[in-house]
């Protein structure tokens, strides 16, 4: 298990280094900070980042579709996370027809 974890960690760091414009010494500080975080702190951070991404997506939806109901905003947002079949089955909303 340790070997797998090390391998995955190495790949994650390598990908981060290839796509990041963050200087290496700052990347190192970030990684060290994440290592010191408790699991609860990490989950909280993921939750906060997810909510931020959703707010950006909602801003795009509002800009693109203008004055739509809150329900439609939520359906369009959900369609970004859920597959088409689930959207149709649960909400009666076909993103292929109505848009994302």
């Amino acid at each position: 298990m340790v070997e797998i974890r090390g391998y995955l960690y190495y790949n994650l760091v390598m990908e981060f280094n290839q796509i990041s414009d963050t200087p290496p010494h700052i990347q190192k500080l970030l990684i060290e900070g994440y290592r010191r975080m408790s699991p609860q702190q990490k989950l909280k951070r993921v939750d906060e980042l997810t909510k931020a991404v959703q707010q950006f997506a909602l801003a795009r939806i509002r800009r693109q579709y203008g004055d739509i109901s809150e329900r439609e905003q939520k359906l369009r947002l959900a369609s970004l996370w859920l597959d088409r079949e689930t959207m149709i089955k649960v909400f009666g909303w076909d993103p292929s027809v109505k848009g994302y």
Side-chain angles (χ1 to χ4, degrees):
M1 186 74 157
V2 173
E3 291 176 55
I4 293 172
R5 238 187 267 162
Y7 176 76
L8 293 175
Y9 174 76
Y10 174 78
N11 284 339
L12 179 65
V13 170
M14 293 307 293
E15 287 180 31
F16 184 70
N17 286 336
Q18 290 174 4
I19 62 171
S20 179
D21 61 354
T22 305
H25 69 285
I26 300 298
Q27 288 180 10
K28 185 177 178 181
L29 289 172
L30 285 170
I31 291 168
E32 288 171 4
Y34 290 137
R35 284 182 177 163
R36 286 192 301 269
M37 292 171 77
S38 70
Q40 293 83 2
Q41 290 170 316
K42 290 176 186 174
L43 284 172
K44 184 178 178 191
R45 179 66 52 96
V46 168
D47 180 59
E48 291 167 349
L49 291 171
T50 300
K51 287 177 182 172
V53 168
Q54 290 174 339
Q55 289 303 311
F56 282 122
L58 269 174
R60 192 265 310 159
I61 289 166
R62 289 178 184 132
R63 185 178 65 247
Q64 183 174 350
Y65 294 101
D67 189 27
I68 59 176
S69 70
E70 186 175 343
R71 181 179 189 278
E72 186 174 340
Q73 290 176 37
K74 289 179 180 180
L75 286 168
R76 291 184 185 280
L77 181 64
S79 72
L80 297 173
W81 271 265
L82 301 173
D83 62 275
R84 179 175 177 261
E85 292 76 24
T86 302
M87 288 298 298
I88 293 169
K89 183 178 179 180
V90 175
F91 302 109
W93 177 274
D94 186 348
S96 297
V97 174
K98 306 262 188 177
Y100 293 88

